[in-house]
Amino acid sequence: MHEQQRPGKIGLRLIAAITAMILLALPAAWVSAAEETLKSIEFAGIDNTLSMHVDDTRQISAIAEWSGGTLKDVTFEAVWITSNSGVVQVDKGLLTAKAAGYADITVKYSTVSKTMRVTVTYEYDKVEIASSEGEPVGSTLDTEVGANPALKLLAYKNGGSSDVTGDAEWSSSNEAVARVSGGKVEILAPGSATITARYKGRTDSVKLNAVTPYASLALEPDELIEFRYGDAGIQLAATAALKSGGSEDVTAKAEWQSADTSVATVKNGLVKPAGIGTTTVRAEYLGVHDTVTVVVRPAFAALQLSADKPLHLLLGSDPVQLQVYSANDPDEPGENVTALAEWKSSNVYAVTVSGGLVTAKEEGKARITATYKGRTAAVDVTVYPRVKSIEVDKTSIDAFEDGEGALPAVTGVTLTGGKIDVSDLAEWSSADDDIVTVQDGKWLARSLGETVLTARVGARSAQVKITVHEEPLALLSDAEELTVVAGKSIPLPDVTLVLKNGKFVEDAKSKAEWTASSPNILVSAGELKGLITGQYTLTASYLGKSISFRVNVEQEIVRLTASAASVELNPGKTKTLQATGHYKNGKTVNLTGKVVWTSSNPSVVSVNGNKIKAEAPGQASVSAQYQDQQVVVQVTVTPKLTKLNASVKSLELTPGHTGQVRLTAVFDKVGESDVTGLAAWSSSNEQVAVVSGGKITAKAKGTATIKAAYGGKTVTIRVKVNEIRTGQ
């Protein structure tokens, strides 16, 4: 029993005030309180201490008092605090005793607070689990599955005891072995479980050790059970053998279970086939069990639908009747079970089915299934909206003899103007099956020629021209790289189509489809236009073949110069030339490898890239061409001079007399040539003798050396001028 606290003077006054408030309940009182000053807060009916027993609860009220004498219950508005929640917990004035000890409970409201000491003790000295006869059971209890012992809980105080079984809190540590309620224990399976009873903070436990009274369980029949789908069930019997000897039919008592109820079900030992497959049936009774394997086989090999591919229906089209067959032999027709099968639609909003009759209702998709004796066959159905016209994604097709290809996609224009893919709905035909036929969703080219393919969706149609060509081998061109000035155009390169039969189609350039790798180059009217400088790719495609060209878009060259304006070479000698391009902005670029070098006379000067070679004496012009600019280099080929000979080595003259010297040049592989008039003549002493064109004129007595120079070689003639003798 709880100890009763006598209310003090303050407590009595508070109780009276609360009673008055309840009786009067006047709103004006609260208005008055709002205008007064908060004075204190008190626990209703309690001074500063309170005693409780473990597991007891008690609701405490808090009353606030104002300066004018106004009282108010603030229990649920105040803040409640416990100094030790392990001993006493508090929630809006509700105290719960958790363990022996003490705790200070504080209530706070606005600026005032109040604290009391709560002491918690045990109401009973101890509790003890006993048998139904009242005898203590100790720490362990051995029992058998199915025994189901009844227990009591006795609470002791001051040397006496009370039966608190019904008020106690009972629990089991392992409810798979034993369950307990109100002291009554139900043993479910062999094993161990701890039974615990709690009352007023005191607890006691006993460990149960449960064993089965049975040695084994056997099922009959115990071998493999086989069904055909649709067969009747088989009754199993379960017999349990006692450890003490003898046996017991526990078919009705056992717990039966199928590992896969979609294959077979079991109830009280009656096994029934539910679907095709394999499962295990288990029977268990008081810790012993046995199993048997169950196989459910199909009643037939396959269920076949008359539709072997998805159905595509136009809204408003006639219903389609499906048939379904059960088949065991691929060489014999199966049994028509259309009327016996269960038909279902996965989306009845779009498609309904009854007895295999499929009806389109609204735009959408559905799966139609037919089920018969565990077998299922299905087909997908798509319903399309009504269309006012249809379009094909291409108006012409190029084909090759004996070739095949996919039919063009077909688009339907709905009544609302929207577009949908109706390719699966389209029915195709050819105007000339000798040229092209339509089969299994493809066109097949039979012979060279041209015909028309027609697609029909309901009453709507669209056409495609198809041309059957000789099969191509490759596209060829003499050009590999193209150069175009930014802002200017050049003709597209010539392209030749080579057929597998060896024929050449020269006009492939005009028939090909030209595409550029960048919008910075433009193809139009047979010309290529460069827009922005850079390197790009131009591709020509025709009849499934393609060829690509490198395209260089360059700045305009306003002037072209060469590394030399003129060159002189001996036969057999070579020289490399360099070409430089000049832009408008003054910058230059080396174009040596890009220009085209040509010779005006290859027999005199030959050209190989930027290397020229002197072939024979003479003159020739070597020109470099790039964009619209040209530069010319004059080349002179002279034979190699090996020796220079004069007709005399010395002369004696008298003043006023002359002597003629003939100069001969000897050239390698060419022979001799009179170069008297071509040589450079000079005198070492023009006071003695002068020379011009090989003619030496004596001036005065003395000696002089006459020098002739030609082609890098020189020759000298010694001249002696004597005095004129009198009488001579």
Side-chain angles (χ1 to χ4, degrees):
M1 299 295 290
H2 298 295
E3 294 184 6
Q4 300 294 322
Q5 296 289 327
R6 294 181 63 189
K9 293 181 178 179
I10 296 177
L12 292 173
R13 187 164 63 89
L14 290 173
I15 294 173
I18 293 171
T19 303
M21 291 169 59
I22 296 173
L23 293 175
L24 297 176
L26 297 176
W30 302 113
V31 175
S32 175
E35 296 174 348
E36 297 173 353
T37 303
L38 182 62
K39 178 181 178 183
S40 64
I41 189 170
E42 300 287 344
F43 299 107
I46 301 172
D47 290 332
N48 297 322
T49 61
L50 179 67
S51 297
M52 296 180 69
H53 290 136
V54 177
D55 287 350
D56 283 351
T57 61
R58 181 166 176 178
Q59 180 65 53
I60 305 299
S61 298
I63 306 300
E65 182 180 5
W66 277 261
S67 58
T70 301
L71 303 177
K72 181 184 178 182
D73 189 338
V74 295
T75 302
F76 298 103
E77 303 175 30
V79 177
W80 294 83
I81 303 171
T82 176
S83 66
N84 191 343
S85 60
V87 175
V88 180
Q89 294 179 349
V90 60
D91 181 22
K92 298 188 182 302
L94 181 64
L95 305 182
T96 302
K98 304 299 292 185
Y102 68 89
D104 292 328
I105 304 300
T106 301
V107 60
K108 293 183 177 180
Y109 181 74
S110 185
T111 58
V112 297
S113 64
K114 181 75 172 179
T115 300
M116 68 175 173
R117 174 66 58 88
V118 179
T119 303
V120 181
T121 59
Y122 288 104
E123 184 174 356
Y124 295 93
D125 300 328
K126 70 173 183 177
V127 294
E128 188 175 45
I129 297 176
S131 66
S132 58
E133 290 81 16
E135 297 293 327
V137 297
S139 59
T140 61
L141 179 62
D142 296 326
T143 185
E144 289 185 340
V145 179
N148 301 337
L151 302 176
K152 287 184 177 181
L153 185 66
L154 301 178
Y156 293 87
K157 182 178 181 181
N158 299 326
S161 64
S162 302
D163 187 344
V164 295
T165 305
D167 297 326
E169 179 184 344
W170 295 84
S171 64
S172 170
S173 66
N174 188 351
E175 292 194 345
V177 174
R179 293 196 292 251
V180 61
S181 177
K184 297 179 179 179
V185 182
E186 182 182 7
I187 309 298
L188 303 174
S192 297
T194 299
I195 303 299
T196 301
R198 174 184 173 92
Y199 183 70
K200 297 293 184 178
R202 299 292 191 182
T203 61
D204 192 23
S205 298
V206 60
K207 183 179 180 181
L208 296 182
N209 297 313
V211 297
T212 179
Y214 299 99
S216 63
L217 183 73
L219 295 179
E220 183 63 34
D222 59 355
E223 67 270 3
L224 178 70
I225 298 175
E226 295 186 82
F227 293 103
R228 289 286 180 184
Y229 187 87
D231 288 352
I234 293 179
Q235 180 65 52
L236 298 179
T239 303
L242 292 164
K243 293 179 180 178
S244 59
S247 61
E248 180 183 351
D249 186 346
V250 296
T251 303
K253 301 177 183 178
E255 182 180 348
W256 295 87
Q257 186 178 21
S258 172
D260 189 346
T261 56
S262 67
V263 176
T265 62
V266 60
K267 184 177 181 181
N268 295 329
L270 181 61
V271 182
K272 293 182 178 181
I276 299 169
T278 302
T279 188
T280 300
V281 170
R282 173 187 171 102
E284 183 174 2
Y285 183 66
L286 298 184
V288 292
H289 70 273
D290 195 15
T291 61
V292 63
T293 300
V294 178
V295 176
V296 182
R297 307 186 189 281
F300 45 86
L303 196 64
Q304 298 175 330
L305 277 174
S306 56
D308 57 356
K309 58 183 179 181
L311 296 179
H312 299 274
L313 305 177
L314 192 65
L315 193 61
S317 60
D318 294 334
V320 176
Q321 178 64 56
L322 297 179
Q323 305 289 332
V324 66
Y325 304 87
S326 63
N328 287 307
D329 192 335
D331 299 324
E332 295 183 5
E335 178 187 357
N336 190 324
V337 294
T338 304
L340 302 175
E342 180 185 359
W343 295 86
K344 288 185 178 179
S345 169
S346 66
N347 182 6
V348 294
Y349 180 81
V351 181
T352 62
V353 60
S354 177
L357 186 66
V358 179
T359 304
K361 295 294 186 178
E362 294 289 345
E363 178 185 359
K365 295 183 177 182
R367 168 161 283 199
I368 301 299
T369 57
T371 304
Y372 180 66
K373 289 190 175 182
R375 293 286 196 188
T376 299
V379 62
D380 292 322
V381 181
T382 302
V383 180
Y384 300 83
R386 291 179 174 88
V387 295
K388 59 183 179 180
S389 64
I390 63 172
E391 304 168 351
V392 289
D393 66 346
K394 56 178 69 177
T395 57
S396 64
I397 298 174
D398 290 309
F400 311 115
E401 196 170 12
D402 297 326
E404 64 179 38
L407 293 165
V410 183
T411 300
V413 181
T414 67
L415 300 179
T416 60
K419 293 186 176 182
I420 59 170
D421 187 351
V422 293
S423 302
D424 293 327
L425 274 174
E427 297 180 0
W428 288 87
S429 62
S430 172
D432 192 339
D433 287 333
D434 292 335
I435 297 176
V436 177
T437 61
V438 177
Q439 184 177 335
D440 297 329
K442 296 180 179 179
W443 55 258
L444 306 174
R446 300 299 190 190
S447 61
L448 300 178
E450 183 178 289
T451 188
V452 174
L453 302 180
T454 300
R456 289 184 173 82
V457 177
R460 317 303 177 185
S461 64
Q463 293 181 329
V464 179
K465 182 178 74 173
I466 184 167
T467 304
V468 183
H469 306 266
E470 293 183 274
E471 190 169 359
L473 180 64
L475 287 177
L476 303 177
S477 179
D478 293 335
E480 294 184 357
E481 186 170 1
L482 307 174
T483 300
V484 58
V485 177
K488 295 186 177 182
S489 301
I490 61 172
L492 292 172
D494 292 330
V495 177
T496 299
L497 176 66
V498 183
L499 303 175
K500 283 192 174 182
N501 60 12
K503 295 181 180 179
F504 291 81
V505 180
E506 301 292 343
D507 63 343
K509 171 182 176 178
S510 61
K511 296 181 179 180
E513 179 183 358
W514 295 86
T515 57
S517 64
S518 170
N520 294 335
I521 55 175
L522 187 64
V523 178
S524 178
E527 290 188 330
L528 172 67
K529 186 174 184 179
L531 302 178
I532 299 176
T533 58
Q535 294 184 332
Y536 311 100
T537 301
L538 178 67
T539 302
S541 302
Y542 182 53
L543 298 182
K545 304 299 178 180
S546 62
I547 185 172
S548 295
F549 306 87
R550 294 189 302 275
V551 179
N552 298 310
V553 181
E554 301 178 342
Q555 297 182 44
E556 184 178 6
I557 301 296
V558 297
R559 185 166 59 94
L560 194 65
T561 59
S563 55
S566 63
V567 177
E568 186 174 341
L569 296 172
N570 298 132
K573 297 298 183 179
T574 62
K575 185 177 180 60
T576 58
L577 300 176
Q578 305 290 323
T580 301
H582 299 260
Y583 298 123
K584 287 183 178 180
N585 59 9
K587 294 184 178 181
T588 61
V589 60
N590 189 339
L591 299 176
T592 302
K594 295 183 177 182
V595 298
V596 179
W597 299 89
T598 58
S599 173
S600 64
N601 191 349
S603 63
V604 175
V605 180
S606 62
V607 176
N608 183 13
N610 68 321
K611 182 183 289 186
I612 61 174
K613 181 180 181 182
E615 301 290 350
Q619 289 187 328
S621 299
V622 175
S623 61
Q625 184 79 33
Y626 194 77
Q627 292 185 12
D628 295 331
Q629 303 299 319
Q630 184 182 41
V631 64
V632 178
V633 180
Q634 299 296 334
V635 183
T636 302
V637 181
T638 58
K640 183 178 181 181
L641 180 64
T642 60
K643 189 176 182 182
L644 196 62
N645 294 325
S647 58
V648 295
K649 294 185 178 181
S650 64
L651 284 176
E652 287 190 20
L653 299 172
T654 57
H657 289 79
T658 63
Q660 182 65 46
V661 180
R662 182 174 177 268
L663 194 62
T664 303
V666 181
F667 296 97
D668 183 33
K669 299 178 182 179
V670 177
E672 297 181 353
S673 177
D674 188 342
V675 295
T676 305
L678 301 175
W681 296 87
S682 64
S683 173
S684 66
N685 191 347
E686 292 188 346
Q687 300 297 320
V688 176
V690 295
V691 62
S692 177
K695 183 179 180 181
I696 302 172
T697 303
K699 293 291 199 178
K701 179 182 178 181
T703 60
T705 301
I706 302 300
K707 182 178 180 182
Y710 178 78
K713 293 185 179 298
T714 59
V715 66
T716 59
I717 301 100
R718 188 172 183 275
V719 178
K720 183 179 181 182
V721 180
N722 300 313
E723 290 182 352
I724 301 175
R725 296 178 181 175
T726 306
Q728 289 187 348

